[in-house]
Amino acid sequence: MADQEPRSRPGGRSARVRRAVLEASAKTIRDHGFEAFAIKDVAAEAGVHETSIYRRWGTREALILDALLDDSAQNVPIPDTGSLRGDLTTLANGLADFLDTPHGRALSLALMTGTGRSVDGIRDYLGRRLSIAGEVVHRAVRRGEVSPTTDPIVVIEALIGPLHFRAFMFHQKPDEAFVDRLVDLIITGTR
Amino acid sequence: MADQEPRSRPGGRSARVRRAVLEASAKTIRDHGFEAFAIKDVAAEAGVHETSIYRRWGTREALILDALLDDSAQNVPIPDTGSLRGDLTTLANGLADFLDTPHGRALSLALMTGTGRSVDGIRDYLGRRLSIAGEVVHRAVRRGEVSPTTDPIVVIEALIGPLHFRAFMFHQKPDEAFVDRLVDLIITGTR
């Protein structure tokens, strides 16, 4: 079956189906939140059969997790500039831009207002995402830029927490000057 | 008139009216958000005349600002422990506790989901509140604990941003170990 082609084949039907389903999933989360997320709506939006989705992702929860991770990777990629300052600055400005879009704002609000069983899924996603972003700190440790005792998760949350705070509490995009001062504080803090 | 007694007279009718109105205002914001906030509802909740509220606060916006600042001061007071580490740790744990209450959660959600004309009021409030909290950094500068070029607002946002992120994105109260690691990073960052 076409759905079982190797995922690595670029532009194949399998890759196209995967992309359509992930984008339809992210849209469904943004538009309706987690509680109302249903595979049948995603299937309709993506123009594929429900059974194709179940066969590939198995559960609703696995699809949500994959869709969120894919959406983050597309919209706020993890940089590798060669320095911790460069990586944190690029990551922060990318996130500030994303939180300033209707898509980024809606997705973050869905994460914040999730309840019940969706909360475990949100935690899984954020845990994975922070761990992926934490790679910029691991690389800085390997380059000898920062103390080996540095906690990557604390560094990443110290960066992205204030950006969410500015975006959602101040209703304001954090400007580059703010990002630079925040990165300065964190870089000094990791020495 | 009773309402015009000096505010400094503790336990006087004026002080009691002020307290009742501020508490009714905070409750109204939590329950209904900013857009629906109306002085007539506050008056009914507090059991005072609308005219008493207008006479004292002048406008709806001035009342909202006063109520938010009063509520913060009551629930998350700004500490003065004698060291920046002590102040930031106390402030962070107090905020983490508050965000873990239905009251704190509802108030923060109201701030985040505010729209239109209420956004200016929310910014005024947060600007004032951050500036009040920034006093812990000014005191540390005067004690020679931190560099005089330290930006108090960045320090305070680096502290409270991640706490909001944990509370609202992770749906989890930040534990004391996380607070300690975050405070460590910030303290080192200000040297």
Side-chain angles (χ1 to χ4, degrees):
Chain A
M1 262 194 267
D3 266 26
Q4 288 173 350
E5 285 178 41
R7 292 190 188 186
S8 58
R9 185 166 148 185
R13 173 168 153 72
S14 174
R16 286 197 308 275
V17 167
R18 178 166 193 271
R19 179 106 321 272
V21 171
L22 292 178
E23 284 175 7
S25 299
K27 181 175 190 308
T28 302
I29 295 167
R30 293 198 304 273
D31 292 352
H32 306 294
F34 290 98
E35 314 314 321
F37 184 94
I39 285 188
K40 71 172 166 39
D41 298 335
V42 173
E45 173 76 29
V48 304
H49 289 294
E50 276 186 64
T51 47
S52 302
I53 297 180
Y54 280 109
R55 196 165 53 232
R56 186 176 299 214
W57 279 277
T59 65
R60 175 185 176 277
E61 283 63 37
L63 175 57
I64 289 177
L65 180 60
D66 201 14
L68 289 173
L69 287 169
D70 174 78
D71 194 76
S72 309
Q74 301 271 329
N75 285 292
V76 189
I78 307 302
D80 186 5
T81 64
S83 76
L84 184 60
R85 181 180 299 275
D87 285 353
L88 294 182
T89 304
T90 304
L91 181 61
N93 285 316
L95 178 60
D97 285 342
F98 182 56
L99 293 178
D100 199 42
T101 63
H103 173 164
R105 193 166 175 84
L107 199 71
S108 297
L109 275 174
L111 293 170
M112 288 194 278
T113 53
T115 56
R117 64 178 177 163
S118 68
V119 164
D120 287 341
I122 293 170
R123 280 199 201 124
D124 284 350
Y125 156 66
L126 286 171
R128 292 273 292 277
R129 177 71 185 161
L130 289 177
S131 155
I132 293 166
E135 184 50 34
V136 306
V137 180
H138 288 297
R139 285 197 301 256
V141 168
R142 290 198 292 273
R143 284 190 301 259
E145 271 190 274
V146 303
S147 157
T149 61
T150 307
D151 183 333
I153 302 301
V154 172
V155 168
I156 299 299
E157 285 191 59
L159 185 75
I160 69 179
L163 300 179
H164 283 85
F165 185 84
R166 282 254 147 178
F168 284 95
M169 301 291 269
F170 264 105
H171 303 264
Q172 204 164 49
K173 184 181 167 186
D175 61 22
E176 292 191 14
F178 179 79
V179 167
D180 287 346
R181 286 196 297 269
L182 182 61
V183 170
D184 274 343
L185 179 75
I186 295 172
I187 295 271
T188 308
T190 55
R191 282 189 187 137
Chain B
M1 264 195 261
D3 266 23
Q4 290 174 348
E5 283 179 44
R7 292 188 186 183
S8 59
R9 185 165 148 185
R13 173 170 152 69
S14 175
R16 286 197 308 275
V17 166
R18 179 166 192 273
R19 179 106 322 272
V21 170
L22 293 178
E23 286 177 4
S25 300
K27 180 173 190 311
T28 302
I29 295 168
R30 292 198 305 273
D31 293 350
H32 306 294
F34 289 99
E35 314 314 320
F37 184 96
I39 285 188
K40 72 173 165 35
D41 297 334
V42 173
E45 173 76 29
V48 304
H49 289 293
E50 276 187 65
T51 47
S52 301
I53 297 180
Y54 279 109
R55 197 166 51 233
R56 187 177 299 214
W57 280 277
T59 65
R60 176 183 174 280
E61 283 65 36
L63 174 57
I64 289 176
L65 180 60
D66 202 14
L68 289 173
L69 287 170
D70 175 77
D71 193 75
S72 311
Q74 302 269 328
N75 286 292
V76 189
I78 306 303
D80 185 5
T81 64
S83 76
L84 184 59
R85 181 178 300 274
D87 285 353
L88 294 182
T89 303
T90 305
L91 181 61
N93 286 317
L95 178 61
D97 285 342
F98 182 57
L99 293 178
D100 199 41
T101 63
H103 173 164
R105 191 163 176 87
L107 200 70
S108 297
L109 275 174
L111 293 170
M112 288 195 277
T113 53
T115 55
R117 64 178 177 164
S118 68
V119 165
D120 288 340
I122 292 171
R123 281 199 200 124
D124 284 351
Y125 156 66
L126 285 170
R128 291 273 293 275
R129 177 70 185 161
L130 289 178
S131 156
I132 292 167
E135 183 51 34
V136 307
V137 180
H138 288 296
R139 284 197 302 255
V141 169
R142 289 197 292 272
R143 284 190 301 258
E145 270 190 274
V146 302
S147 157
T149 61
T150 307
D151 183 334
I153 301 300
V154 172
V155 169
I156 299 299
E157 285 191 58
L159 185 74
I160 69 179
L163 301 179
H164 284 83
F165 186 83
R166 283 253 144 180
F168 284 97
M169 301 291 268
F170 264 106
H171 303 265
Q172 203 165 51
K173 184 180 166 185
D175 61 22
E176 291 191 15
F178 179 80
V179 167
D180 287 345
R181 286 196 297 271
L182 182 62
V183 169
D184 274 343
L185 179 76
I186 296 171
I187 295 271
T188 310
T190 55
R191 278 184 191 141

